[in-house]
Amino acid sequence: MSQSDNENKKEKLSNKENPENLELTQNQESSEESKKEEKKVDESFSEEVENPEAANEELEEAMVAESTFVQDTENNKVTNAQDKDEDEDEHEDAIIEEHKKGVDDSLAEDSEDESVTERHNIPKKDYHSMSNEQLADELERLLKNEKVQAIKDHVIEIRAEFNAKFDEEFEEKKENFLSEGGNIIDFHYSTPLKNRFNSLYFDYREKRNKYYQQLKQDLNANLSKRLEIIEELKGIINIEENINTTYNHFKDIQDKWRTAGPIPRDKYNNVWNTYHHHVENFYDFLHLNREFRDMDFKHNLDQKLKVIDRAEELAQEQDINRAFRELQMLHKMWKEELGPVAKEYREEIWERFSNATKIIHDRRQEYFENLDKEFDKNWEKKQQIIEKIREIANQDISSHSKWQQKIKEIEALREDFFKAGKVPRSKNEETWKDFKETVRSFNRKKNSFYKNLKKEQYENLEKKKELIQIAEDNKDSDDFKTVTPLMKKIQTDWKKIGHVPRKDSDKIWKQFKAACNYYFDRLHENRSEENKEEMEAFTKKKDLLEKVRSYEFAGNKEEDLEHIKAFIAEWKTLGRVPYNKRFIEGKFNKSLDQLFNKLDINRTKAEMLKYENKIQSLNDADDDKKIRNEHFFLTKKIEETQAEIRQLENNLQFFSNVDDDNPLVQDVHKNINDHKAQLKVWREKLKKVKSLY
């Protein structure tokens, strides 16, 4: 220990004879400390919050500093003991020693803060891997379910992650805006989710400010209470009463001091030292009665041994963070609640307490070292992801389909990046910067490609508009012989032209389709009116339809089926009907349905027998568009039926524990079989249509 330290200690010991001088000295010594503490208080009321990892480092340093400081005190005590009476040295050094052995101020103050335990009781989630919507939900949950003073660290991390992700989204939208020719002055981007998060964060600040305003009032009230306790303590020394009564009064004062609550930090040192100065004076007074002093020493020893036992148990605790939090409270008890012990036990019990403290501290250091190793692994994983994104960004991609594939790959890599976990604090900013830059590099190339693609699409749009104009100019023409080949040609040309902007695609297709359909409808109508054969076919089909409707079953299934086939065969030989008379085909099919239902034959067979008639009409029409439309219709029906079957089969999984004879299960099975039968019909029909090409 340095000479200046020895002089300081001697000065404090000499001040024992003069309480007023001691308080004055303490005020002078704590002036600079008070300013620092006052600054801490102001910071706690500000919006900027301490780094939780930095706070942990301060607590660890406080534990180390405490052990070093105590050892220096022990050495100094031996030197001073030579100049004092043995009895006086025993109780006086006990008070000073216990004061010195108290936990560091920053640790004590943190232990007194109830929010410390509350904060640690709220588990932190992996905010880095959450989406912004999940982050907003988590912030809302914390505000509803937890105390505002306990969620400070959680809110900091949530807000940092939300802003980082939103900034990335903001930059991407800005680049897209500028790539499309926008002016940066006109760019503005916000989302309902961003507005919701800002509102939640504003609510958090409001609640937190109200809490700390109330806390400030409570701290000042506790300060007044502690000052009153000090005055009461000063008064009991001069009261002439039974020593037993005085001692009990002193114990009551100690109990009130322990429960008086925290006070403003800038007043902490001064009030604490003043209180212990007067406790020391009481022990001088109590020295007149060794019986009470020894009884108090014994009580304190018993309590401190219990504290040590618990600290040694905590050294074996698996949850190191929980052990460290409880250790803080044990140090607080050692300082706040327990007085000195007899000299012969002092060194022994402090050594045991220090050893247990060191074990917990070392294990905690090891825990954070292992955590750092895990963070390093996460960093390496993120570096690999960034490198993969960089490789994709450097590729030459020349087609829309490949770009869509790469966009999905980048999105998957982005998800992997956010799920990879935290990285060391020293590398966090650089890692995030590299990630954003590589993603932006990819986005810039993507935007450039689609910008050029849009230019090509607008050129295609102009070409298709020219075809629309040709179709609309000729749709009312009566020169069917000349215009019909032209209309067929522009339909072929339409297919050869590439994509147009999505916003225009449906609109121009409807225009073109309407003009072409209008012309070909007129063409078919005109042909029907001019073709007497079609009218004759209509008359014959009308007569045949009456025969079908009036058919009486003979009672022999095979014979009746042959009659129905004959009706169908005859119907096919009658040829086409006029365009405006095509409704008769539907009536014929409906009549056939009624016959097949009465005959009770296989559904697929009945459907295909009827479909032969439609195949014949498609073939006779010599209209490629009708055949293509039928092909598209059947393909779509097959896809829809397959989807229905998959959905029904998935639904069966919900009945895994239900008997097969359950009505609901049977109904699902029936639906599946019906759809499979219909699927077979659709496929057979498609096979027939394909034979017409």
Side-chain angles (χ1 to χ4, degrees), residues 361-372:
H361 171 73
D362 290 345
R363 288 186 59 219
R364 193 164 182 269
Q365 283 292 102
E366 182 181 0
Y367 167 78
F368 281 111
E369 288 173 2
N370 292 334
L371 201 59
D372 287 340

Side-chain angles (χ1 to χ4, degrees), residues 644-656 668:
E644 287 288 339
I645 293 172
R646 285 194 298 270
Q647 182 62 48
L648 289 168
E649 289 176 343
N650 288 337
N651 290 345
L652 279 177
Q653 297 178 7
F654 294 102
F655 301 97
S656 58
V668 175

Side-chain angles (χ1 to χ4, degrees), residues 404-457:
Q404 291 302 306
Q405 177 186 347
K406 296 303 177 183
I407 289 172
K408 291 180 181 178
E409 290 179 16
I410 292 294
E411 188 60 32
L413 289 171
R414 288 181 75 258
E415 290 295 323
D416 291 343
F417 181 88
F418 289 125
K419 292 178 181 178
K422 294 183 178 181
V423 302
R425 182 180 300 275
S426 60
K427 299 177 180 178
N428 187 55
E429 185 175 351
E430 181 183 357
T431 304
W432 179 245
K433 180 181 178 182
D434 289 345
F435 171 73
K436 288 195 296 184
E437 186 54 41
T438 51
V439 172
R440 286 175 186 171
S441 176
F442 172 83
N443 287 336
R444 281 192 288 267
K445 290 185 68 174
K446 176 195 69 176
N447 294 338
S448 176
F449 170 81
Y450 281 104
K451 184 178 180 180
N452 293 330
L453 188 62
K454 285 182 180 179
K455 181 180 178 182
E456 181 182 336
Q457 289 178 347

Side-chain angles (χ1 to χ4, degrees), residues 523-532 534-535 577-580:
L523 173 64
H524 295 153
E525 185 178 356
N526 183 70
R527 286 179 177 176
S528 297
E529 292 174 354
E530 294 177 355
N531 195 334
K532 293 181 179 180
E534 291 181 356
M535 285 301 298
V577 299
Y579 182 79
N580 59 348

Side-chain angles (χ1 to χ4, degrees), residues 158-206:
I158 289 173
R159 185 167 181 251
E161 292 296 343
F162 185 95
N163 287 339
K165 289 180 173 64
F166 182 79
D167 287 345
E168 183 192 3
E169 182 180 341
F170 180 89
E171 290 297 328
E172 183 177 352
K173 296 295 182 182
K174 184 173 72 173
E175 288 182 7
N176 290 340
F177 178 78
L178 296 177
S179 68
E180 294 177 358
N183 191 318
I184 187 63
I185 299 176
D186 301 324
F187 179 73
H188 174 74
Y189 179 70
S190 184
T191 64
L193 181 59
K194 174 66 172 172
N195 295 334
R196 177 191 169 207
F197 186 86
N198 289 345
S199 177
L200 289 170
Y201 186 69
F202 178 80
D203 291 343
Y204 163 73
R205 291 175 60 187
E206 288 287 299

